[in-house]
Amino acid sequence: MIAKIVVRYADGRVVKGTTEDLAANKGLFHLTEADTGKRYEVNVEQLKAIFFVKNFQGNSEYQERLDVERVGLGKKIKVSFKDGETLVGYTQGFSPARATFIVFPCDPESNNEKVFVVTAAAGKVEFV
């Protein structure tokens, strides 16, 4: 299945595109850039997170709700990234020993469907 993603690198770069071979147990995947069609390999260790999105435009005016209780998505978690960004959502698989984990947004109306977080990019992770 082809997924729309926004790749956020640890160095601040952001690339929008698609992938069909990202897997939690693999350190590499292929990204096809939305703007150029260029396809190349991405090393997960260089990333902060991968945002699986509904569309590439998003809505900068929309304020995501963090008070929505979502059943079946795991425990509520707060991820404070080293660059100052904070992500609040639900996870079923966080362990500090794992290289990555998935966070589902609190708000079902979010443009993000899920976020693939690189553990090394997180400064602090706590259950809330």
Side-chain angles (χ1 to χ4, degrees):
M1 183 171 108
I2 296 177
K4 289 181 186 174
I5 59 173
V6 176
V7 177
R8 307 250 335 248
Y9 284 84
D11 66 9
R13 289 179 291 148
V14 177
V15 181
K16 298 176 182 181
T18 59
T19 188
E20 67 283 335
D21 66 350
L22 177 65
N25 60 347
K26 291 172 44 180
L28 301 171
F29 69 95
H30 293 90
L31 172 69
T32 303
E33 289 187 9
D35 292 341
T36 65
K38 182 179 171 188
R39 186 172 194 267
Y40 52 90
E41 198 169 69
V42 176
N43 183 338
V44 174
E45 290 180 0
Q46 297 177 337
L47 306 180
K48 168 185 166 178
I50 303 167
F51 294 78
F52 288 76
V53 296
K54 296 173 184 169
N55 64 64
F56 291 128
Q57 294 74 34
N59 179 356
S60 60
E61 305 285 317
Y62 186 74
Q63 289 292 322
E64 286 196 27
R65 293 181 50 209
L66 303 180
D67 60 347
V68 179
E69 290 296 320
R70 297 186 70 187
V71 178
L73 297 178
K75 295 180 179 181
K76 196 166 189 179
I77 194 169
K78 179 179 179 181
V79 180
S80 300
F81 289 98
K82 292 177 181 175
D83 68 1
E85 183 180 7
T86 300
L87 174 67
V88 179
Y90 293 89
T91 189
Q92 296 174 338
F94 172 71
S95 167
R98 293 179 63 189
T100 61
F101 61 100
I102 303 276
V103 175
F104 296 93
C106 290
D107 188 346
E109 300 302 316
S110 171
N111 189 48
N112 296 320
E113 294 177 331
K114 63 184 173 185
V115 182
F116 188 86
V117 177
V118 177
T119 306
K124 183 177 181 183
V125 179
E126 57 189 322
F127 290 101
V128 292

